[in-house]
Short mmCIF file of all heavy atoms in Angstrom, two decimals:
data_model
loop_
_atom_site.label_atom_id
_atom_site.label_comp_id
_atom_site.label_asym_id
_atom_site.label_seq_id
_atom_site.Cartn_x
_atom_site.Cartn_y
_atom_site.Cartn_z
N PRO A 1 92.60 87.70 90.37
CA PRO A 1 91.14 87.92 90.33
C PRO A 1 90.47 87.13 91.43
O PRO A 1 90.93 86.05 91.81
CB PRO A 1 90.75 87.38 88.95
CG PRO A 1 92.01 87.29 88.16
CD PRO A 1 93.10 87.04 89.15
N GLY A 2 89.41 87.70 91.97
CA GLY A 2 88.61 86.96 92.94
C GLY A 2 88.72 87.37 94.38
O GLY A 2 88.06 86.77 95.24
N LEU A 3 89.51 88.40 94.70
CA LEU A 3 89.57 88.87 96.09
C LEU A 3 88.44 89.86 96.32
O LEU A 3 88.21 90.76 95.52
CB LEU A 3 90.91 89.52 96.39
CG LEU A 3 92.18 88.69 96.25
CD1 LEU A 3 93.35 89.39 96.90
CD2 LEU A 3 92.01 87.28 96.80
N GLY A 4 87.76 89.73 97.45
CA GLY A 4 86.63 90.59 97.76
C GLY A 4 85.34 89.81 97.76
O GLY A 4 85.26 88.70 97.21
N LYS A 5 84.32 90.40 98.38
CA LYS A 5 83.02 89.76 98.46
C LYS A 5 81.94 90.76 98.07
O LYS A 5 82.11 91.97 98.23
CB LYS A 5 82.75 89.23 99.86
CG LYS A 5 83.71 88.11 100.28
CD LYS A 5 83.32 87.54 101.63
CE LYS A 5 84.23 86.38 102.01
NZ LYS A 5 83.83 85.78 103.29
N PRO A 6 80.80 90.28 97.57
CA PRO A 6 79.73 91.21 97.18
C PRO A 6 79.14 91.96 98.36
O PRO A 6 79.31 91.59 99.52
CB PRO A 6 78.69 90.28 96.54
CG PRO A 6 79.41 89.01 96.22
CD PRO A 6 80.48 88.89 97.27
N VAL A 7 78.45 93.01 98.07
CA VAL A 7 77.62 93.79 98.97
C VAL A 7 78.45 94.50 100.06
O VAL A 7 79.11 95.49 99.77
CB VAL A 7 76.47 92.97 99.58
CG1 VAL A 7 75.45 93.89 100.26
CG2 VAL A 7 75.77 92.13 98.49
N PHE A 8 78.47 94.02 101.29
CA PHE A 8 79.06 94.80 102.38
C PHE A 8 80.56 94.59 102.60
O PHE A 8 81.18 95.36 103.33
CB PHE A 8 78.30 94.53 103.69
CG PHE A 8 76.86 94.97 103.64
CD1 PHE A 8 75.84 94.05 103.78
CD2 PHE A 8 76.54 96.29 103.41
CE1 PHE A 8 74.51 94.44 103.72
CE2 PHE A 8 75.21 96.71 103.35
CZ PHE A 8 74.20 95.77 103.50
N ASP A 9 81.12 93.56 102.01
CA ASP A 9 82.56 93.33 102.15
C ASP A 9 83.27 93.44 100.82
O ASP A 9 84.20 92.69 100.52
CB ASP A 9 82.83 91.95 102.78
CG ASP A 9 82.60 91.96 104.28
OD1 ASP A 9 83.07 92.93 104.93
OD2 ASP A 9 81.95 91.04 104.80
N LYS A 10 82.82 94.39 100.02
CA LYS A 10 83.52 94.68 98.76
C LYS A 10 84.95 95.10 99.06
O LYS A 10 85.23 95.75 100.07
CB LYS A 10 82.79 95.80 98.02
CG LYS A 10 81.41 95.39 97.49
CD LYS A 10 80.75 96.53 96.76
CE LYS A 10 79.39 96.09 96.21
NZ LYS A 10 78.69 97.16 95.50
N LEU A 11 85.86 94.72 98.17
CA LEU A 11 87.28 95.00 98.40
C LEU A 11 87.53 96.49 98.54
O LEU A 11 88.26 96.92 99.44
CB LEU A 11 88.11 94.41 97.25
CG LEU A 11 89.63 94.50 97.37
CD1 LEU A 11 90.11 93.90 98.67
CD2 LEU A 11 90.28 93.82 96.17
N GLN A 12 86.91 97.30 97.68
CA GLN A 12 87.14 98.75 97.77
C GLN A 12 86.53 99.35 99.03
O GLN A 12 87.04 100.33 99.57
CB GLN A 12 86.61 99.48 96.52
CG GLN A 12 85.11 99.68 96.46
CD GLN A 12 84.40 98.52 95.78
OE1 GLN A 12 84.92 97.41 95.75
NE2 GLN A 12 83.22 98.76 95.22
N ALA A 13 85.45 98.74 99.52
CA ALA A 13 84.83 99.23 100.76
C ALA A 13 85.75 99.00 101.95
O ALA A 13 85.89 99.86 102.83
CB ALA A 13 83.48 98.54 100.99
N ASN A 14 86.41 97.83 101.99
CA ASN A 14 87.32 97.57 103.09
C ASN A 14 88.61 98.38 102.96
O ASN A 14 89.19 98.79 103.97
CB ASN A 14 87.64 96.07 103.14
CG ASN A 14 86.48 95.27 103.71
OD1 ASN A 14 85.59 95.82 104.35
ND2 ASN A 14 86.47 93.97 103.47
N LEU A 15 89.03 98.64 101.73
CA LEU A 15 90.17 99.53 101.55
C LEU A 15 89.82 100.95 102.01
O LEU A 15 90.63 101.61 102.68
CB LEU A 15 90.60 99.57 100.08
CG LEU A 15 91.41 98.37 99.58
CD1 LEU A 15 91.55 98.41 98.06
CD2 LEU A 15 92.80 98.34 100.23
N ALA A 16 88.61 101.39 101.69
CA ALA A 16 88.19 102.73 102.11
C ALA A 16 88.14 102.83 103.63
O ALA A 16 88.60 103.82 104.22
CB ALA A 16 86.82 103.05 101.52
N LYS A 17 87.58 101.80 104.28
CA LYS A 17 87.53 101.82 105.75
C LYS A 17 88.94 101.87 106.33
O LYS A 17 89.19 102.62 107.28
CB LYS A 17 86.80 100.58 106.26
CG LYS A 17 86.75 100.51 107.78
CD LYS A 17 86.00 99.29 108.28
CE LYS A 17 86.00 99.27 109.81
NZ LYS A 17 85.26 98.12 110.35
N ALA A 18 89.82 101.08 105.75
CA ALA A 18 91.21 101.05 106.25
C ALA A 18 91.85 102.42 106.14
O ALA A 18 92.49 102.91 107.09
CB ALA A 18 92.00 100.01 105.46
N MET A 19 91.69 103.06 104.98
CA MET A 19 92.36 104.34 104.76
C MET A 19 91.74 105.46 105.59
O MET A 19 92.44 106.30 106.15
CB MET A 19 92.31 104.71 103.26
CG MET A 19 93.04 103.73 102.39
SD MET A 19 94.73 103.39 102.95
CE MET A 19 94.85 101.62 102.62
N LEU A 20 90.43 105.45 105.70
CA LEU A 20 89.76 106.51 106.46
C LEU A 20 89.89 106.33 107.96
O LEU A 20 89.53 107.22 108.74
CB LEU A 20 88.29 106.59 106.04
CG LEU A 20 88.07 107.06 104.60
CD1 LEU A 20 86.60 107.01 104.24
CD2 LEU A 20 88.65 108.45 104.37
N SER A 21 90.43 105.18 108.39
CA SER A 21 90.72 104.99 109.81
C SER A 21 92.05 105.60 110.20
O SER A 21 92.37 105.72 111.39
CB SER A 21 90.72 103.50 110.15
OG SER A 21 91.91 102.86 109.67
N ILE A 22 92.86 106.00 109.22
CA ILE A 22 94.15 106.62 109.51
C ILE A 22 93.93 108.04 110.01
O ILE A 22 93.14 108.79 109.42
CB ILE A 22 95.03 106.63 108.23
CG1 ILE A 22 95.27 105.20 107.73
CG2 ILE A 22 96.37 107.32 108.51
CD1 ILE A 22 95.97 105.14 106.38
N PRO A 23 94.60 108.46 111.08
CA PRO A 23 94.42 109.82 111.58
C PRO A 23 94.66 110.85 110.47
O PRO A 23 95.59 110.74 109.68
CB PRO A 23 95.48 109.94 112.67
CG PRO A 23 95.67 108.53 113.15
CD PRO A 23 95.51 107.66 111.93
N ALA A 24 93.80 111.86 110.43
CA ALA A 24 93.86 113.00 109.49
C ALA A 24 93.38 112.67 108.10
O ALA A 24 93.32 113.55 107.24
CB ALA A 24 95.27 113.60 109.42
N ALA A 25 93.00 111.43 107.80
CA ALA A 25 92.48 111.08 106.48
C ALA A 25 91.09 111.67 106.30
O ALA A 25 90.24 111.55 107.17
CB ALA A 25 92.43 109.57 106.28
N LYS A 26 90.86 112.33 105.16
CA LYS A 26 89.59 112.98 104.91
C LYS A 26 88.89 112.52 103.64
O LYS A 26 87.72 112.84 103.41
CB LYS A 26 89.80 114.50 104.82
CG LYS A 26 90.33 115.14 106.09
CD LYS A 26 89.36 115.04 107.24
CE LYS A 26 88.25 116.04 107.09
NZ LYS A 26 87.35 116.04 108.29
N GLY A 27 89.59 111.80 102.77
CA GLY A 27 88.97 111.39 101.53
C GLY A 27 89.61 110.17 100.93
O GLY A 27 90.81 109.91 101.13
N PHE A 28 88.82 109.39 100.16
CA PHE A 28 89.31 108.18 99.50
C PHE A 28 88.64 108.06 98.16
O PHE A 28 87.44 108.29 98.02
CB PHE A 28 88.98 106.95 100.37
CG PHE A 28 89.27 105.62 99.68
CD1 PHE A 28 90.53 105.05 99.78
CD2 PHE A 28 88.30 104.96 98.96
CE1 PHE A 28 90.81 103.84 99.15
CE2 PHE A 28 88.56 103.75 98.33
CZ PHE A 28 89.82 103.18 98.43
N GLU A 29 89.42 107.72 97.14
CA GLU A 29 88.85 107.40 95.83
C GLU A 29 89.71 106.34 95.17
O GLU A 29 90.92 106.29 95.39
CB GLU A 29 88.76 108.64 94.94
CG GLU A 29 90.09 109.28 94.58
CD GLU A 29 89.92 110.44 93.60
OE1 GLU A 29 88.78 110.78 93.26
OE2 GLU A 29 90.95 111.01 93.19
N TYR A 30 89.07 105.47 94.39
CA TYR A 30 89.83 104.43 93.70
C TYR A 30 89.46 104.46 92.23
O TYR A 30 88.40 104.97 91.83
CB TYR A 30 89.57 103.06 94.31
CG TYR A 30 88.25 102.45 93.95
CD1 TYR A 30 88.17 101.44 92.97
CD2 TYR A 30 87.06 102.87 94.55
CE1 TYR A 30 86.95 100.88 92.63
CE2 TYR A 30 85.85 102.31 94.21
CZ TYR A 30 85.80 101.32 93.24
OH TYR A 30 84.59 100.78 92.88
N GLY A 31 90.37 103.92 91.38
CA GLY A 31 90.12 103.96 89.95
C GLY A 31 89.97 105.40 89.48
O GLY A 31 90.70 106.30 89.90
N SER A 32 88.98 105.63 88.61
CA SER A 32 88.76 106.98 88.09
C SER A 32 88.29 107.95 89.18
O SER A 32 88.39 109.16 89.04
CB SER A 32 87.76 106.95 86.96
OG SER A 32 86.50 106.47 87.42
N GLY A 33 87.71 107.41 90.25
CA GLY A 33 87.29 108.23 91.37
C GLY A 33 86.32 109.32 90.96
O GLY A 33 85.47 109.15 90.09
N PHE A 34 86.46 110.50 91.55
CA PHE A 34 85.54 111.60 91.31
C PHE A 34 85.67 112.14 89.89
O PHE A 34 84.72 112.70 89.34
CB PHE A 34 85.76 112.72 92.32
CG PHE A 34 85.32 112.36 93.71
CD1 PHE A 34 86.24 111.96 94.67
CD2 PHE A 34 83.99 112.39 94.06
CE1 PHE A 34 85.83 111.61 95.96
CE2 PHE A 34 83.56 112.04 95.35
CZ PHE A 34 84.49 111.65 96.29
N ALA A 35 86.85 111.97 89.27
CA ALA A 35 87.03 112.45 87.90
C ALA A 35 86.13 111.70 86.93
O ALA A 35 85.80 112.21 85.86
CB ALA A 35 88.49 112.29 87.48
N GLY A 36 85.70 110.51 87.30
CA GLY A 36 84.86 109.70 86.42
C GLY A 36 83.50 110.31 86.15
O GLY A 36 82.87 109.99 85.13
N VAL A 37 83.04 111.19 87.02
CA VAL A 37 81.69 111.76 86.83
C VAL A 37 81.63 112.67 85.60
O VAL A 37 80.55 112.91 85.05
CB VAL A 37 81.22 112.54 88.08
CG1 VAL A 37 81.26 111.66 89.30
CG2 VAL A 37 82.07 113.80 88.31
N SER A 38 82.77 113.17 85.15
CA SER A 38 82.78 114.07 83.99
C SER A 38 83.00 113.33 82.68
O SER A 38 83.05 113.93 81.61
CB SER A 38 83.88 115.13 84.16
OG SER A 38 85.16 114.53 84.23
N MET A 39 83.10 111.98 82.76
CA MET A 39 83.31 111.18 81.56
C MET A 39 81.98 110.57 81.08
O MET A 39 81.04 110.41 81.87
CB MET A 39 84.30 110.05 81.86
CG MET A 39 85.66 110.52 82.33
SD MET A 39 86.72 109.16 82.85
CE MET A 39 87.02 108.33 81.29
N LYS A 40 81.93 110.26 79.79
CA LYS A 40 80.78 109.51 79.27
C LYS A 40 81.02 108.03 79.48
O LYS A 40 82.16 107.58 79.57
CB LYS A 40 80.60 109.83 77.78
CG LYS A 40 80.16 111.27 77.50
CD LYS A 40 80.02 111.54 76.02
CE LYS A 40 81.39 111.61 75.36
NZ LYS A 40 81.27 112.05 73.94
N GLY A 41 79.92 107.28 79.53
CA GLY A 41 80.06 105.84 79.73
C GLY A 41 80.88 105.18 78.65
O GLY A 41 81.64 104.24 78.90
N SER A 42 80.76 105.68 77.43
CA SER A 42 81.51 105.12 76.30
C SER A 42 83.02 105.38 76.47
O SER A 42 83.84 104.66 75.90
CB SER A 42 81.04 105.75 75.00
OG SER A 42 81.12 107.17 75.05
#
């Protein structure tokens, strides 16, 4: 626990930048990702 920084250097933001810098990469999602939008908060 504890890796990453708030706001602009969030861990997932830097992972996203890293992955989207790879040639031919078009999308990134972590955790539930886009599937999470169809779930209820509960």
Side-chain angles (χ1 to χ4, degrees):
L3 300 193
K5 295 186 177 183
V7 193
F8 297 118
D9 282 316
K10 292 180 178 179
L11 185 54
Q12 77 270 24
N14 285 343
L15 282 170
K17 178 179 179 179
M19 298 308 142
L20 294 176
S21 74
I22 300 172
K26 298 295 284 186
F28 172 87
E29 63 176 3
Y30 76 102
S32 62
F34 290 100
V37 304
S38 62
M39 301 173 68
K40 293 179 288 188
S42 56

